[in-house]
């Protein structure tokens, strides 16, 4: 992906941040979660900014893609089925819905990044990665004073 394409994906994402913000989210939480999952927006297959996985047969728009997952504390290259979205707005709306219904403790703290990231990890996001919440908090701290 070129720098221009990366910047366009990031800008489209930023344009859609009003969706979670209207639902009471600190938009920096949503941004930092996507930032980590995409490697600063370099790897965004069909607007799936968070690496949301789906079970075969349960999601109409999915694709089997290469990914790195933690197994026994080590990163391993594998494949998995990921949700694909048509637009950044569809992805953002689904992310909010997904967290609300799959990670209710995180959703309850969607305005508190310390609690939110702990709840996301405790709920099973990035299973096997014991430092996931810490990584998210570190990213948030880097962006805390920047305008998003």
């Amino acid at each position: 992906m070129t720098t221009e394409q990366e910047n366009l994906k990031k800008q489209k994402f930023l344009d859609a941040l009003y969706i979670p913000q209207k639902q009471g989210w600190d938009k920096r939480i949503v941004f930092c979660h996507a930032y980590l999952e995409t490697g600063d927006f370099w790897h965004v297959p069909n607007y799936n900014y968070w690496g949301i996985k789906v079970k075969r047969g349960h999601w109409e728009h999915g694709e089997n893609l290469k990914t790195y997952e933690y197994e026994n504390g080590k990163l391993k290259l594998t494949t998995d089925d990921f949700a694909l979205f048509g637009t950044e707005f569809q992805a953002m709306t689904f992310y909010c819905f997904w967290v609300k219904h799959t990670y209710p403790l995180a959703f309850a703290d969607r305005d508190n990044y310390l609690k939110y990231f702990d709840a996301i990890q405790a709920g099973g996001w990035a299973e096997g990665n014991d430092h996931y919440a810490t990584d998210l908090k570190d990213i948030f701290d880097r962006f805390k004073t920047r305008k998003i």
Side-chain angles (χ1 to χ4, degrees):
M1 181 182 303
T2 67
T3 302
E4 186 177 321
Q5 290 169 320
E6 175 198 1
N7 289 338
L8 181 59
K9 285 269 187 180
K10 191 183 294 186
Q11 187 56 54
K12 286 183 172 195
F13 178 86
L14 293 171
D15 291 345
L17 277 173
Y18 75 89
I19 294 168
Q21 195 171 20
K22 280 183 150 184
Q23 297 177 35
W25 297 72
D26 180 333
K27 67 182 180 181
R28 297 171 300 175
I29 288 173
V30 179
F31 175 86
C32 291
H33 198 180
Y35 182 95
L36 176 64
E37 287 288 341
T38 62
D40 189 15
F41 298 90
W42 274 90
H43 307 285
V44 187
N46 294 313
Y47 301 100
N48 189 341
Y49 293 95
W50 306 276
I52 296 172
K53 297 176 184 165
V54 295
K55 293 180 182 174
R56 278 188 189 224
H58 291 114
W59 181 256
E60 184 178 329
H61 305 288
E63 185 175 354
N64 193 267
L65 301 169
K66 289 181 184 177
T67 184
Y68 287 94
E69 299 295 337
Y70 278 89
E71 188 175 295
N72 300 322
K74 296 182 180 180
L75 274 178
K76 177 186 170 192
L77 180 62
T78 186
T79 62
D80 213 334
D81 295 324
F82 289 86
L84 303 179
F85 303 101
T87 68
E88 63 280 357
F89 301 105
Q90 183 187 38
M92 195 72 70
T93 300
F94 184 82
Y95 175 82
C96 295
F97 172 85
W98 182 258
V99 170
K100 181 177 183 178
H101 294 282
T102 310
Y103 303 90
L105 296 177
F107 182 79
D109 288 316
R110 63 194 180 278
D111 62 344
N112 181 324
Y113 80 101
L114 295 170
K115 291 181 179 181
Y116 182 87
F117 293 142
D118 285 339
I120 282 289
Q121 181 174 334
W125 204 304
E127 194 171 12
N129 182 348
D130 296 338
H131 51 86
Y132 191 71
T134 301
D135 293 345
L136 286 165
K137 291 173 191 176
D138 289 347
I139 292 168
F140 191 96
D141 287 339
R142 279 190 277 159
F143 285 100
K144 195 183 284 187
T145 58
R146 295 184 194 173
K147 184 180 181 228
I148 294 177

